[in-house]
Amino acid sequence: MALSGNIPSSVANYVIRGNENAADKVKGHLFVQVTADKKTCMVGEPILLTYKLCTQLKSLSTLVKSPSFNGCSVVDMPTEDFAHYGYETINGQLYNVFQLRKVQLYPLQAGDLAIEAAMVDNKLHFIKENYLLAQDGFRYNPELFVKDILESIDKGTAPKDAILTHQIAINSPAISITVKDYPAADRPADFTGATGQFNIAAALSQLKISTDEVGKLTVALTGKGNMMLLTPPDIQWPQGLEAFEPTVTERVSHTTTPISGTKFFEYRFSATKPGSYTIPAINLSWFDTQKRNYQTSHTPALTVNVTQGNGKQAAPVTGPEPEKEKFFNRLFANRWWVAGPVIGLILLGLIVWMRSETKKDKKAKALAAQERANATELPSPIVEPANPLDNAADLLHQGDSHLFYTQLSNDLKNYLTYKMQLPVFNKGTLAVALDKRGVSTETAIELSAVLEALEWQLYTPVSDATQMEALYHRSLSVVESIKYETKDR
């Protein structure tokens, strides 16, 4: 369809005729679209909202009012600026589409959740039809002529008598989400609102301390869901141990829906009298949004032996270790890695050996004896590779998930065998070696989770190709942490 004077339909939306009203011309050619990935959810279950500006007109647009999302915890997702746009066909017509905002909402209470409208202010520019028809250049090549004028608008050099400017604000449509409460039946007594899929692990930094020293218990909550709302787990400290408020750190990815990763709670504690103290199992209960029921996981009981000190008490440390925290913040704050769903239980092999100092000593002695016996069989020293997972990286985008997981598992185990100087890869001797080399509890727990996730992918009937990238980056992060923590040791 062409306008009078043979104005091509391809540029007709940029042209306003003398009898046209600018406000009427905007209708159908410029609007804000909002989409939600679900219209019904549970409390704490994420809703992914995307706001887009769809236009067929020449405009300068500004988001002037963004929804406040009352009653929700909000996680903003990365978006492109207005210099980047795509194309979408909507109701049979092609539009330029700009993403205004993309958020995850985690509702905090049941009921009807009304999503506020977003408002976009638009300064529209139309080319006057009578100006075009009077120009010789337009008669020879109308599409190129209109394009040149549109570019001159951007540069601020367009003739004033050629342009009609129209200002208008438009709103996104209102939408409503139905939020359901957690089921009352079978709700665990210790359930505090964790929603998603999670696991819990715990470890002591030392199994034996004196009355002069401060012990450290690290509890790790790993999985995907409303992680920003996870609170410190309830710990029944035995009489005689005094615990301080936990320090909370995160290794969390906000680029996935729901967000995923690990949240660490580090407790410092001390004892005034010698003895053997057992910290009971620590529970975590959550509502599983996939199985639609409650789940509970727990750690094993942990025992710490306290000996009599010399009376020179060390000052308790209640904050994070500055250099280590600085490193992890730098390492993970801007890293793109998608934490895969932790479906299996986190491997507890790194924790079980901690339960007995005697067992630890025996394992260490056995390892030393085995290393001496096999000393002649160890390979000649080699230069540590920059990326020990290179072979797996080569398979990452080739589509064979089982082959990739096999290679990644082999690369990681080979690196650990080399780095920890193990005769053969063994989880028990690995735990001892990690402790001897000064690898932190946080890194040991994350390594345990990665090894467990790899085993799950290798020994289930169908491996999950969607987790390949996430597991590769998690493995690489663990390798880099081990390199840093064992440097110069």
Side-chain angles (χ1 to χ4, degrees):
M1 179 179 178
L3 297 178
S4 59
N6 295 320
I7 294 178
S9 58
S10 59
V11 297
N13 288 332
Y14 305 115
V15 180
I16 189 163
R17 292 176 289 184
N19 61 347
E20 276 189 308
N21 179 277
D24 291 337
K25 192 171 181 69
V26 171
K27 295 177 182 178
H29 298 292
L30 177 70
F31 57 90
V32 177
Q33 182 187 70
V34 55
T35 58
D37 66 338
K38 57 177 73 75
K39 293 297 180 69
T40 301
C41 69
M42 301 293 298
V43 173
E45 184 178 4
I47 307 158
L48 184 62
L49 283 182
T50 306
Y51 290 83
K52 297 177 181 179
L53 176 69
C54 307
T55 180
Q56 297 175 325
L57 306 175
K58 179 68 175 176
S59 68
L60 178 63
S61 302
T62 305
L63 180 64
V64 293
K65 179 185 175 184
S66 191
S68 58
F69 306 121
N70 294 326
C72 297
S73 180
V74 182
V75 177
D76 273 285
M77 307 286 282
T79 57
E80 299 282 5
D81 59 34
F82 274 3
H84 300 83
Y85 62 92
Y87 300 97
E88 289 186 22
T89 300
I90 303 172
N91 297 326
Q93 296 190 52
L94 187 65
Y95 289 82
N96 295 328
V97 176
F98 302 83
Q99 193 173 96
L100 300 173
R101 193 177 181 189
K102 190 175 183 180
V103 296
Q104 294 183 54
L105 303 184
Y106 291 81
L108 302 176
Q109 59 188 13
D112 290 331
L113 178 62
I115 304 298
E116 295 179 351
M119 179 184 291
V120 179
D121 187 63
N122 305 273
K123 188 176 183 180
L124 299 162
H125 300 286
F126 297 102
I127 306 173
K128 296 177 182 178
E129 180 189 36
N130 57 3
Y131 173 85
L132 288 177
L133 298 180
Q135 307 302 311
D136 291 336
F138 177 75
R139 296 191 183 95
Y140 292 117
N141 194 330
E143 289 186 346
L144 180 60
F145 191 83
V146 169
K147 180 181 177 182
D148 289 342
I149 294 181
L150 293 176
E151 290 179 353
S152 69
I153 294 174
D154 292 331
K155 298 175 182 177
T157 59
K160 292 184 178 181
D161 59 340
I163 305 301
L164 173 68
T165 301
H166 179 69
Q167 196 94 14
I168 187 172
I170 56 175
N171 296 319
S172 63
I175 63 173
S176 179
I177 307 293
T178 301
V179 183
K180 298 180 179 180
D181 202 357
Y182 304 111
D186 302 322
R187 185 183 298 186
D190 61 348
F191 175 70
T192 58
T195 306
Q197 294 83 44
F198 300 102
N199 277 299
I200 185 171
L204 291 165
S205 61
Q206 292 176 283
L207 298 178
K208 181 187 289 184
I209 63 172
S210 74
T211 54
D212 299 338
E213 296 177 307
V214 175
K216 183 174 74 172
L217 169 69
T218 301
V219 180
L221 307 184
T222 301
K224 60 179 181 178
N226 57 344
M227 298 202 66
M228 76 295 290
L229 301 178
L230 294 183
T231 56
D234 184 25
I235 300 177
Q236 302 299 316
W237 293 97
Q239 187 174 0
L241 290 187
E242 180 185 0
F244 306 97
E245 287 297 315
T247 298
V248 184
T249 57
E250 296 181 348
R251 296 182 189 175
V252 173
S253 170
H254 293 83
T255 60
T256 59
T257 304
I259 62 174
S260 56
T262 302
K263 199 167 186 177
F264 298 96
F265 299 91
E266 184 181 284
Y267 298 83
R268 303 300 175 98
F269 64 89
S270 61
T272 56
K273 295 181 180 180
S276 180
Y277 298 89
T278 297
I279 302 171
I282 306 169
N283 293 333
L284 172 67
S285 294
W286 68 93
F287 184 81
D288 192 308
T289 51
Q290 292 181 350
K291 298 179 180 178
R292 315 308 286 185
N293 61 12
Y294 293 103
Q295 300 285 324
T296 298
S297 180
H298 60 83
T299 69
L302 301 173
T303 299
V304 58
N305 294 307
V306 181
T307 60
Q308 182 63 51
N310 58 18
K312 297 181 179 179
Q313 277 197 334
V317 181
T318 58
E321 301 171 40
E323 289 303 318
K324 187 173 292 185
E325 279 304 307
K326 181 179 179 182
F327 165 72
F328 281 123
N329 288 339
R330 182 173 67 252
L331 180 60
F332 294 100
N334 296 306
R335 175 172 293 281
W336 185 84
W337 60 280
V338 180
V342 182
I343 305 173
L345 294 175
I346 293 182
L347 183 66
L348 297 178
L350 297 178
I351 300 171
V352 174
W353 65 272
M354 292 182 178
R355 301 176 65 181
S356 169
E357 183 70 13
T358 302
K359 290 183 178 179
K360 175 183 175 181
D361 292 340
K362 288 182 179 179
K363 288 183 179 181
K365 292 176 181 178
L367 175 61
Q370 190 173 8
E371 287 177 337
R372 288 193 297 271
N374 293 279
T376 57
E377 300 177 10
L378 292 175
S380 301
I382 58 174
V383 177
E384 183 173 336
N387 180 7
L389 310 181
D390 263 344
N391 292 330
D394 293 339
L395 300 174
L396 187 57
H397 301 292
Q398 294 187 15
D400 190 331
S401 59
H402 184 77
L403 180 60
F404 166 77
Y405 289 126
T406 301
Q407 186 63 58
L408 180 58
S409 178
N410 290 340
D411 284 355
L412 183 57
K413 290 178 179 179
N414 288 340
Y415 172 73
L416 293 170
T417 302
Y418 156 74
K419 187 68 175 178
M420 297 296 118
Q421 298 181 3
L422 306 177
V424 292
F425 182 82
N426 178 279
K427 292 174 185 175
T429 55
L430 172 63
V432 177
L434 291 171
D435 183 58
K436 288 174 63 177
R437 295 295 300 277
V439 174
S440 68
T441 304
E442 292 88 346
T443 299
I445 290 176
E446 176 66 2
L447 173 60
S448 167
V450 169
L451 290 171
E452 176 72 8
L454 284 171
E455 288 186 2
W456 178 272
Q457 295 295 346
L458 288 173
Y459 299 114
T460 50
V462 180
S463 57
D464 186 355
T466 64
Q467 300 305 314
M468 292 167 60
E469 189 109 27
L471 266 177
Y472 172 75
H473 286 288
R474 288 183 69 187
S475 302
L476 188 59
S477 295
V478 168
V479 167
E480 292 180 2
S481 296
I482 291 174
K483 284 183 179 181
Y484 174 83
E485 294 174 19
T486 57
K487 188 177 181 181
D488 300 325
R489 288 182 182 271

